[in-house]
Amino acid sequence: MCPKKRGTLLLLKKNYFMSQNAITIESLEENLKVLARQRAIYSVLFIGAIIFIVVSGVGVANQYNAGSFTRGVENFFDYPADLFSDAFEAGWGWFGIVLSFIPALFETFSAAVFSTVVGASIALILCPLATINLSPNQVTVQIVRRTFDILRSFPELVFALILLYLMGKSIVPAIIAVTLHTIGAMGKLFSEAIENIDMKPVDGLKSVGARWYQIICFAVYPQVLPLVLSYSLLRLEINVRASTILGFVGAGGIGAYLTASLQWRYGDEVLAIMFLLVATITALDYFSSYVRHKLIGKISA
Amino acid sequence: MSIAVYDRKVSFQEIYQSVEKKAYYQKLTTLVSIGAILLYFVFSIIQFDLGSISRKWSPERASRLFLDTYAHKDHVVMNWKDTSKISVNFEGDYRYQYPSFPEWLERIGDGKDIAILTFNSGSKAIFRDDKIIFEQSKSEDRKFIFGIGDNGKPYAEAYDNDGNEKDLPNWIRVTESKVEVRPSLYERIQIYKRKVEVHRYEFGWKYFWFDFFSPLKDYSLPEALSLIFSNERIEPDKTNFELVLSEISDNEQWMHGTVLFSILETLLMAVLGTLLASLLGLPLAFLAAYNITPFKFIRFSLRRLFDMLRGIDMIIWCLIFVRSFGPGLFTGIFAIAFTDTGTLGKLMSEAIENADNKQQEGVKSTGASTILQHRFGIIPQIMPVFISQSLYYLESNTRGAVILGAMGAGGIGLQLLGAIRTGNDFENVGYMAVLIVLLVTVMDQMSAFLRRFLIGIEKN
């Protein structure tokens, strides 16, 4: 992760070698001046480009936006204020509303858990085939890797919308879509993790005549298991969000209730669902970072 | 450990037993966890009613949709009441009516035979004023007759070469009101009480560059491009170049102009959102780092602000913004910017706190002011992390912007949702899906390239 070299350093090296035949202090200073000027030009260009993108982008956005920017800024607090006043009117009953959405939240959450477990298991089974140091042949490596790439680059939404159209409204299309995306994303991470393992246990098992699947089971998986668990937890968090969004376009769960409440403008219900979502995602965030720190501590120890 | 073992003078047997015990427990844990996962699968299959997949999944419908993504079809419709009129239209849209019969449909004037339709496979459908005769070009050379019986219901009959009647094959379905014939994916005949409808499929996307009403509809793309360099104008008031461009972008079926513009919208959403997040996140991160800001109150409140921005999900921000800014780009831009300001702020403030303070002390020893100390002591250390994180967020926000679009922020996500909800333009869905994948891949490659160029991380 940690970067070692920087672009300017490379540039300096190149210029240094070019003028190597006569290194004097003057030539070095000259060189430095040229570099400083180049750098200044680059920074000005970079800042100019950023200002250009922001200004022209905001202009384009303002032109094609349904509402205007200034009015939007003025009205920004209206909607949250509406939500809170609705919830305040509901009084203590609001907590009852929160509780009433817990079954729907559980449905979305368990869909996310299920797709994470299935996706991670399939990715774990496939990823030894996608690593150069373990795969039986190079063609398999390329095929499996490209499959991961394709699965990863399709947003879940595309899969889910098509499946929803084919299978009718239920949570099953969301599960399939999220699982497919999870396979792609996890497959890539796992195969990268496997590429970096210590090969000594593999050689040891090979030397006693172990079969391929035995090598994978006893020399590869034990090394990557903590990483696999921590990635899976991270992925679970992402998948909870994803299945909520897919519920929003028709796949049931808490997302479906959210759409309904938004359309009926029941501010108290909207706020209750938002509260539940934020609470779940934050809790998962803390839980997964706690477990990951423990697991990673285990790896480094 | 080993010293303790020697001290107690344990026998090999005991060591062996303890090792065996450990291995036994390990095996037990593995088996139990695998069993638990399997149990969980069974539970989930019941909970989500996964068995319903096989009931709800109709392979026929799926294959027809899939066919629609890469093939186009022409409809030939004949009314039993007035058999002299046969209408031929593209994709069943009454506006796309062919002015004259295409070459695969031959009109025959004499009495009972009205027209002969030749499918791509060589099979033929002969239109008569009281029935349709379908001749298969396969080795058996079988013949089928469909029509309306005396009782007013559609019927189907099958004959072999010698004219003997045979059983109907399973690709012919006869119901009270309809006979559905589907000998192959590319051929379909439906006989209703009032009319007969024949679908003839062909591979490829028709009218991809120029639509049905375009003056250029018979030109292929290379021909149209070569028109640009010719002097004769097709339309007198436009140059050929303008004509070709406007005809492509205003294509009614494929909407190239709109689709490309929405791709740009999505891209703009991701780029501007990430840019705003990094422009806001970096200064705020400095204010939230304990080695920069001495005021505990500012640090604490900024930390909680980051937590709030990060904790409220992007979709919820999107729902809030869509109320104030209306459906459009601002909604998406601000949803992305808010969430990522929180995430980047937290990450960067941690990076600043972890920065090596020796460099800062070095700059301080030259008598530099506090601002210069931060500029030359800390920023060079965190810049690579900052750039690479921003680029990672740009990458994932491109995906996110597609999804935000479907939730009301416009762009290609909204177009895709619309195309799927109409339900009969699956070639457009396929086209947009390909474009989305291309966009995501290009952004991935570009951010990887920029990361290498700016920070020079070698591939490990």
Side-chain angles (χ1 to χ4, degrees), chain A residues 51 66 109 190 209 241:
Chain A
I51 290 174
F109 183 73
F190 291 170
R241 290 160 202 243

Side-chain angles (χ1 to χ4, degrees), chain B residues 136-334:
Chain B
Q136 260 194 321
S137 68
K138 301 276 164 59
S139 53
E140 309 160 53
D141 226 25
R142 287 197 295 179
K143 200 171 170 183
F144 302 90
I145 295 178
F146 315 108
I148 301 291
D150 296 332
N151 53 2
K153 284 177 188 163
Y155 67 87
E157 288 163 1
Y159 298 95
D160 65 6
N161 266 343
D162 309 325
N164 302 321
E165 192 157 355
K166 285 176 59 177
D167 290 338
L168 290 178
N170 57 1
W171 42 263
I172 297 180
R173 272 214 314 262
V174 184
T175 60
E176 280 286 292
S177 56
K178 181 184 172 187
V179 175
E180 158 103 37
V181 185
R182 203 169 174 84
S184 77
L185 265 183
Y186 288 78
E187 297 155 6
R188 188 182 186 197
I189 303 173
Q190 288 159 291
I191 292 101
Y192 299 96
K193 282 178 181 170
R194 293 175 57 196
K195 62 171 183 182
V196 57
E197 197 174 310
V198 182
H199 296 177
R200 181 182 186 276
Y201 285 85
E202 249 179 271
F203 182 80
W205 290 345
K206 213 179 177 187
Y207 304 121
F208 183 70
W209 298 110
F210 306 107
D211 66 15
F212 194 82
F213 303 112
S214 165
L216 300 172
K217 83 171 181 184
D218 297 327
Y219 289 84
S220 69
L221 186 68
E223 278 169 7
L225 288 181
S226 64
L227 261 187
I228 294 175
F229 302 104
S230 84
N231 276 328
E232 288 169 48
R233 286 189 175 186
I234 305 263
E235 301 249 297
D237 54 337
K238 265 185 187 171
T239 63
N240 280 345
F241 181 65
E242 278 170 358
L243 181 74
V244 169
L245 270 193
S246 71
E247 285 301 324
I248 289 180
S249 75
D250 295 343
N251 187 323
E252 199 179 276
Q253 278 146 332
W254 292 94
M255 301 184 298
H256 294 296
T258 324
V259 168
L260 285 185
F261 185 72
S262 11
I263 287 265
L264 281 184
E265 275 186 323
T266 301
L267 188 63
L268 190 70
M269 222 188 294
V271 171
L272 265 188
T274 318
L275 207 56
L276 281 182
S278 36
L279 290 183
L280 282 174
L282 191 61
L284 289 182
F286 268 93
L287 288 180
Y290 73 83
N291 50 355
I292 308 282
T293 312
F295 310 107
K296 203 179 172 191
F297 174 72
I298 295 181
R299 284 196 327 248
F300 181 79
S301 47
L302 273 177
R303 282 281 155 97
R304 293 294 83 77
L305 177 73
F306 290 156
D307 280 351
M308 194 192 84
L309 290 176
R310 208 161 46 92
I312 298 180
D313 199 62
M314 207 183 269
I315 41 170
I316 293 175
W317 282 122
C318 183
L319 293 179
I320 293 174
F321 284 122
V322 88
R323 283 304 167 98
S324 47
F325 291 106
L329 288 185
F330 280 129
T331 307
I333 293 172
F334 285 118

Side-chain angles (χ1 to χ4, degrees), chain A residues 207-225:
Chain A
S207 70
V208 294
R211 288 167 197 276
W212 188 75
Y213 75 89
Q214 285 170 328
I215 295 176
I216 300 295
C217 283
F218 297 109
V220 178
Y221 284 161
Q223 286 191 57
V224 289
L225 204 61

